[in-house]
Amino acid sequence: VWDASSGECLQTLKGHSDGVNSVAFSHDSARVASASDDRTVKVWDASSGECLQTLNVGKTLDRIAFDVSGSYLNTDIGTIDISVLIIMALLLAQMVCGLPITQSI
């Protein structure tokens, strides 16, 4: 992830085992999705660089984009619903950190 003004590298998202073909920011800039030659799509937290979810799509994708709601990824092979995956990742993070689950997501 680079600073658009200075060109400075701010963060490197590591996790794919092959080249990355497409990257997209969610409309609220909170998440980044990446599609790789390793046939996976990864959803990242844009602030921390933490990988929130890895999806094995079984095919190399060249195009990926978040829909306006941030609940779906539009790709060459169709639309992927990530809303449930993100909620599950948030719940798991709360459980691992020992935080009480007191709010609805």
Side-chain angles (χ1 to χ4, degrees), residues 74-87:
N74 297 314
T75 75
D76 331 24
I77 61 170
T79 302
I80 302 171
D81 183 348
I82 60 168
S83 60
V84 173
L85 301 174
I86 297 302
I87 290 169

Side-chain angles (χ1 to χ4, degrees), residues 91 94-95 97-103:
L91 289 172
Q94 284 181 318
M95 289 174 17
C97 295
L99 301 173
I101 301 172
T102 57
Q103 296 179 336

